[in-house]
Amino acid sequence: MQSSLWTEGKAWGRFDIYRKVPKDLTQPTYTGAIISVCCCLFILFLFLSELTGFITTEVVNELYVDDPDKDSGGKIDVSLNISLPNLHCELVGLDIQDEMGRHEVGHIDNSMKIPLNNGVGCRFEGQFSINKVPGNFHVSTHSATAQPQNPDMTHVIHKLSFGDTLQVQNVHGAFNALGGADRLTSNPLASHDYILKIVPTVYEDKSGKQRYSYQYTVANKEYVAYSHTGRIIPAIWFRYDLSPITVKYTERRQPLYRFITTICAIIGGTFTVAGILDSCIFTASEAWKKIQLGKMH
């Protein structure tokens, strides 16, 4: 019975591509030990680097031409927060116009006016929606019952954003490009034009949930406007147009099979290169010894 098992094992042994070398035929060397230790440390370093990359979520971006949020009804939510430290709250109003014929003066829904500097100034905070067509919204005194003689339009913009608020660490976009804009030292009687190019943005997390926001670029100019009847009442204009290009950010994690493949390649490649290096050093060392022995004789 034992002879039969031994014969069967020997037959299967023919297929072993990892032939074993008897231990008494191997020769440990000091150089080989150093290379082995360095090899293990190098593998550990690469393994930890790959593990960090595998655990970390990667955010990739792409561009395409489409309207990503087709369920919005052709609307974009806007959030505006602006301070006018030298204009009374009863004079401050928000007007909205666009190419679809919308013309709204003194928009008050979902808005709030907070007095500043003992009632001398005003902070306007509002949430409203605009149509997905070129247009403008502006902060002005147009909705006031009596127009002031010299309205002071110096201001600070705390926030102007479109769509959902994205607070993602790996995405650094221009979602609030005008946040912190300070025009307190400008001409009090000047109008301000902010020309915005709005770019639709989609963020998709690992679960497939999508959030829709908008980035924008901005250019601005300051001027005092006149007509044939005299100086035009100043205002703070936000003129916008939409870009046909959509930016999409997608969270991705490296597949497990790719991580395993990379680790196998690191281990195999490192040991192979280390083996070649050790063999070259050992061969050179043995050749040098033979040369030295030849000189002695």
Side-chain angles (χ1 to χ4, degrees):
M1 181 66 179
Q2 291 182 351
S3 177
S4 176
L5 291 174
W6 183 83
T7 303
E8 184 178 350
K10 187 176 181 180
W12 279 106
R14 297 174 182 175
F15 298 100
D16 185 6
I17 61 175
Y18 302 103
R19 301 298 178 94
K20 310 303 184 292
V21 179
K23 191 173 183 180
D24 56 352
L25 297 179
T26 60
Q27 178 182 350
T29 62
Y30 179 73
T31 306
I34 295 176
I35 293 177
S36 298
V37 171
C38 293
C39 179
C40 292
L41 292 176
F42 185 66
I43 289 175
L44 179 62
F45 169 73
L46 293 181
F47 172 78
L48 293 177
S49 300
E50 285 297 323
L51 181 63
T52 303
F54 175 70
I55 296 173
T56 304
T57 300
E58 180 187 13
V59 178
V60 297
N61 60 77
E62 59 180 311
L63 303 176
Y64 60 91
V65 179
D66 195 11
D67 179 10
D69 191 10
K70 295 183 175 62
D71 298 328
S72 63
K75 302 285 187 179
I76 299 175
D77 294 328
V78 184
S79 178
L80 175 63
N81 188 332
I82 184 172
S83 292
L84 297 93
N86 300 309
L87 195 64
H88 293 279
C89 280
E90 61 266 20
L91 300 175
V92 176
L94 177 70
D95 310 327
I96 307 173
Q97 296 174 296
D98 63 36
E99 292 186 359
M100 290 183 67
R102 181 182 183 182
H103 189 182
E104 186 175 347
V105 178
H107 179 87
I108 58 174
D109 294 338
N110 298 319
S111 62
M112 178 171 55
K113 299 177 184 179
I114 305 171
L116 300 175
N117 304 329
N118 297 320
V120 176
C122 185
R123 178 167 179 160
F124 179 86
E125 299 179 9
Q127 285 80 38
F128 54 96
S129 62
I130 57 176
N131 295 315
K132 291 183 179 180
V133 295
N136 74 80
F137 52 91
H138 51 276
V139 177
S140 67
T141 61
H142 297 163
S143 60
T145 304
Q147 292 297 318
Q149 190 68 27
N150 295 306
D152 187 336
M153 302 308 292
T154 56
H155 61 277
V156 175
I157 301 174
H158 306 288
K159 179 182 180 182
L160 175 60
S161 61
F162 300 86
D164 296 339
T165 300
L166 292 181
Q167 294 180 342
V168 184
Q169 183 178 1
N170 295 331
V171 175
H172 304 285
F175 297 99
N176 185 24
L178 277 174
D182 188 333
R183 301 292 181 268
L184 295 179
T185 58
S186 61
N187 186 342
L189 301 179
S191 290
H192 299 265
D193 261 17
Y194 295 100
I195 303 165
L196 314 177
K197 192 69 171 183
I198 302 176
V199 182
T201 304
V202 183
Y203 188 88
E204 182 177 320
D205 59 23
K206 295 189 297 292
S207 65
K209 181 181 178 181
Q210 292 185 340
R211 285 181 289 171
Y212 303 97
S213 186
Y214 296 84
Q215 303 181 63
Y216 62 92
T217 58
V218 59
N220 68 284
K221 63 179 179 178
E222 175 187 331
Y223 59 94
V224 178
Y226 292 90
S227 68
H228 63 281
T229 57
R231 181 170 50 82
I232 298 176
I233 298 175
I236 304 170
W237 298 82
F238 301 92
R239 307 180 191 273
Y240 62 87
D241 193 6
L242 273 79
S243 168
I245 303 296
T246 295
V247 179
K248 183 178 181 181
Y249 298 98
T250 307
E251 288 185 352
R252 291 180 184 173
R253 180 167 288 176
Q254 183 180 348
L256 179 60
Y257 74 86
R258 187 176 298 173
F259 173 70
I260 295 174
T261 302
T262 304
I263 296 302
C264 291
I266 288 173
I267 295 174
T270 304
F271 275 121
T272 300
V273 174
I276 294 173
L277 180 62
D278 180 58
S279 178
C280 292
I281 294 175
F282 179 76
T283 302
S285 175
E286 290 298 310
W288 178 253
K289 289 179 181 178
K290 291 180 179 179
I291 294 172
Q292 293 298 321
L293 289 174
K295 288 182 179 180
M296 292 175 62
H297 292 291

